[in-house]
Amino acid sequence: QVQLVESGGGLVQPGGSLTLSCAASGFTFRNYAMTWFRQAPGKERELVASIPASGGNTNYADSVKGRFTISRDNTKNTVYLQMNSLKPDDTAVYYCNAAARDAYRKKIDYWGQGTQVTVSS
């Protein structure tokens, strides 16, 4: 019963802010790196932001660096994406991903269902 459930998407004006949440259950959240991806219509899926299991070095796409912040709360099994100064090009479906390696280094991946973010006047 692994679940990643995104919330917080919606319609926002350019320059506005939005915070996405991804609530995890059914696995040991603290052992997984968490990543936000997004996909716009007619575009390929791209990595937006990533945070290691340790909560240390974060990684951002150049297009969102300085505007978006990824964070995690291991006590709540939740990862967040704070999005500021939003642009129309940020319009996409945003997906939450959890990734880890088992004892044999086999990759384990889980995905959420996605949440729509629309930036428009």
Side-chain angles (χ1 to χ4, degrees):
Q1 294 186 329
V2 169
Q3 282 193 299
L4 293 172
V5 181
E6 298 99 333
S7 61
L11 176 64
V12 65
Q13 294 183 335
S17 297
L18 210 58
T19 299
L20 305 182
S21 299
C22 175
S25 60
F27 64 99
T28 307
F29 178 81
R30 67 180 180 273
N31 293 336
Y32 285 72
M34 301 299 298
T35 302
W36 288 97
F37 291 84
R38 69 185 182 187
Q39 188 167 29
K43 308 282 187 179
E44 63 185 3
R45 184 149 60 194
E46 66 172 337
L47 186 150
V48 178
S50 184
I51 186 168
S54 67
N57 294 328
T58 54
N59 187 51
Y60 298 92
D62 287 343
S63 60
V64 308
K65 196 168 297 182
R67 300 188 296 120
F68 290 12
T69 302
I70 188 171
S71 61
R72 66 190 297 158
D73 186 342
N74 287 349
T75 70
K76 298 179 179 179
N77 290 347
T78 301
V79 64
Y80 305 93
L81 185 67
Q82 181 182 330
M83 305 183 293
N84 299 324
S85 302
L86 283 161
K87 306 173 180 179
D89 283 350
D90 295 320
T91 296
V93 177
Y94 285 70
Y95 297 92
C96 178
N97 169 270
R101 302 277 183 175
D102 68 13
Y104 299 97
R105 309 254 277 175
K106 177 185 177 182
K107 187 177 181 181
I108 303 170
D109 249 342
Y110 302 122
W111 289 88
Q113 81 292 341
T115 186
Q116 176 71 47
V117 172
T118 302
V119 185
S120 176
S121 298

